[in-house]
Amino acid sequence: NRASPTRRLPPQAVESRRVHGQNGLKQPGARVRMDPAQIDAAYGNNGTLKTAMNPNAEWLVTDGLGGFASGTVSGIRTRRYHALLIAASTPSSGRCVMVNGFDATVETPSGNFAISSQRYAPDVVHPDGCNRIAEFQYAPNPRWVYTLEDGTRIEQELVTAQESPAVRLTWRLLTPRVGVRLSLRLFFSGRGYHCLHHENSAFRFDPERKDDLLIWRSYDGLPQVCVRANAGYHHAPDWYRNFFYTEEAARGMDSVEDLAMPGIFTFNLSAADAVLTLSTEEVAQALRPVPVLPKDCYIVKHSNRRTIIAGYPWFTDWGRDTFIALRGLCPEHAHEILLGWADWVSEGMLPNRFPDGDAPPEYNSVDASLWFVIAAHEQPLDRRVAAAVEAILDGYTAGTRYGIHMDTDG
C-alpha cells in the first residue's frame, strides 16, 4: 500500500466545496450551475488563477469525440471522472478510463521534490506536491507552475487533441540549471467511466515495444494505451491501493479505487522539455495548443456525423437537449446533425438518449421529436429530414408510446 504519507494539505486546501452535497444531488445526471461572478472573481481575463485559489476547483478539456481529460487545480482526483485519458470507444459514448493520473518527482542537486499529490483512504494526502503549486491557468489549456524549495520552477501543461483520442503532457524547466530530472509513474485502470477499478490478477502490466511507442493492452475488449515519451522507461509493476475520491463519498457513492502502476519514466529536464503523449491510437494526431471556444467542447464527431453532448462529465448525446440547443449552439452544423438523427424515428418518436455500450436507444421523451421538427423547419429540407418530419407527425397523429398523441382539437 502506497498510503504511507507524512504531510497533509493545509486547512484551506482540505476544505472542499462539495457542490453536489450542498445541492442535495445524489446521482449522475444532476446539473451544476456555475455563477459567472464567482468565475470572474477567481480568474483573470487570460484564465490565470488568482492568488486566492480553490485547489478543489475543477478543469475539463475535450477531444471532440466525446472523450475528455479532467481533474482539479491541486491535482488530487476527487471524482471517478477525473483522469488523463478517457476515450470514447464508440464516439460519442462507450467512454473508458484508461489512464487515471500520475505521481511525479523532480530531482535537483538540492534533493527530491514531489510535484503531485494523491488522496488515500481514509483521508490522507501524499505526497505534498500540491503545496508547491505557485500558479494555475485553465485557458487555453490547463497549465501549472511549481516552485520548489531551492527556487527551481517547473511548468506543467496538458493539451488534448481535437478529433483524436490523445493527450500530451509537457514539463518545462523555467529556471535553467544542470542536474534536474523528472520521474513519472503513470496510474492505469481500464474501466467504464461510471465504474471503479480494483486490484486483480487479469491486468496486463507488460507493454509491447514498437518503435518509439510503449503499448499497453490492459484488458481484452478495451482500447489500447500508446505512450510516447522522450524518456527512459524502467519496468517496475506495482499496485497503488485505496485512492479516495471525496466527491464520490459526498454523493453516497463507492469512492475507493486501486490503480496499476507499470513502471517509471525518467526525463532529463536540464537537456530538454519532458514530453509524454497518451493515446488509444498508434499514430496520434500532432498536438499543439489550439484555442477552443467553450461551445465547441459540446460538438463532437460521431462516426461520420456530428452531434451535441448534453453535458460533462456523465452525459452523452441526448435528443431533446440536442434539438433545443442546436439553433443557438451550432447552426452551421444543424443540417448535418439533423441528418444523423433522421433515421432513428420509431413510431413517431426520436430517442432521448443512446446509452453506453450495446443497449438500445431509449424512446422516452414526449417532446424530443417535436423539437426536431422545430429545428428542421429552419433548415433546407432534404428527402431524409422531410421523411423524418412526416413520420413524426404521422406518429403523433395516430398515437405512440406512453399514450402520447395529438388532442382532438389538433
Side-chain angles (χ1 to χ4, degrees), residues 5-337:
T6 57
R7 298 187 63 180
R8 294 176 179 267
L9 283 173
Q12 65 269 25
V14 177
E15 289 299 321
S16 169
R17 180 177 181 268
R18 302 186 189 279
V19 176
H20 286 72
Q22 290 175 357
N23 291 333
L25 308 179
K26 298 299 183 184
Q27 59 185 2
R31 300 172 187 246
V32 177
R33 182 180 299 277
M34 295 186 69
D35 183 351
Q38 291 178 325
I39 298 174
D40 292 341
Y43 294 95
N45 292 332
N46 64 351
T48 301
L49 194 66
K50 296 180 181 178
T51 52
M53 64 180 177
N54 176 5
N56 296 292
E58 300 178 46
W59 55 266
L60 185 147
V61 289
T62 64
D63 66 6
L65 296 174
F68 58 89
S70 68
T72 66
V73 171
S74 70
I76 299 173
R77 296 182 306 283
T78 61
R79 303 183 189 275
R80 67 189 68 208
Y81 306 102
H82 289 161
L84 296 177
L85 184 62
I86 301 180
S89 57
T90 54
S92 58
S93 60
R95 293 179 181 134
C96 297
V97 180
M98 304 308 300
V99 182
N100 299 61
F102 59 82
D103 259 349
T105 302
V106 175
E107 177 187 352
T108 77
S110 303
N112 294 333
F113 305 93
I115 56 169
S116 63
S117 294
Q118 319 294 332
R119 177 172 274 110
Y120 296 94
D123 190 14
V124 179
V125 172
H126 178 76
D128 59 353
C130 58
N131 294 333
R132 299 185 175 93
I133 299 174
E135 300 175 25
F136 174 78
Q137 180 175 309
Y138 74 93
N141 299 285
R143 172 185 171 272
W144 294 257
V145 173
Y146 295 85
T147 299
L148 312 186
E149 282 81 343
D150 65 356
T152 303
R153 287 170 60 83
I154 308 288
E155 178 188 76
Q156 172 185 299
E157 184 182 38
L158 184 147
V159 177
T160 53
Q162 289 303 302
E163 299 188 3
S164 178
V167 60
R168 186 192 69 202
L169 286 158
T170 304
W171 292 266
R172 181 173 297 110
L173 189 59
L174 299 181
T175 49
R177 61 186 304 183
V178 298
V180 180
R181 304 177 70 82
L182 171 71
S183 296
L184 190 74
R185 293 168 169 83
L186 291 175
F187 298 135
F188 286 66
S189 57
R191 60 169 171 84
Y193 72 129
H194 292 312
C195 305
L196 289 177
H197 187 250
H198 297 286
E199 181 177 359
N200 65 84
S201 59
F203 184 90
R204 299 191 189 107
F205 280 97
D206 294 340
E208 173 191 345
R209 294 181 180 269
K210 187 173 183 181
D211 299 326
D212 61 342
L213 285 177
L214 291 172
I215 303 173
W216 275 270
R217 296 182 176 89
S218 306
Y219 299 105
D220 292 335
L222 290 180
Q224 63 188 7
V225 176
C226 302
V227 181
R228 179 180 281 111
N230 58 336
Y233 174 74
H234 171 65
H235 196 57
D238 203 354
W239 284 97
Y240 280 56
R241 305 172 184 90
N242 298 327
F243 292 95
F244 178 47
Y245 303 140
T246 55
E247 290 297 336
E248 300 301 324
R251 296 168 58 220
M253 309 289 284
D254 49 341
S255 55
V256 177
E257 180 166 53
D258 306 328
L259 299 174
M261 195 287 296
I264 305 168
F265 293 87
T266 303
F267 303 82
N268 184 346
L269 275 180
S270 294
D273 295 350
V275 181
L276 181 136
T277 302
L278 306 168
S279 178
T280 59
E281 300 174 345
E282 293 186 21
V283 181
Q285 174 182 320
L287 283 87
R288 58 185 182 277
V290 177
V292 176
L293 294 175
K295 74 178 186 67
D296 293 332
C297 296
Y298 297 91
I299 305 165
V300 303
K301 193 171 183 179
H302 184 306
S303 301
N304 60 349
R305 64 178 177 87
R306 296 185 190 277
T307 188
I308 297 174
I309 294 294
Y312 292 97
W314 39 64
F315 286 111
T316 55
D317 48 343
W318 287 52
R320 187 175 191 273
D321 298 60
T322 295
F323 308 136
I324 291 173
L326 185 63
R327 296 169 294 157
L329 188 69
C330 53
E332 68 276 18
H333 297 305
H335 186 250
E336 179 184 358
I337 292 172

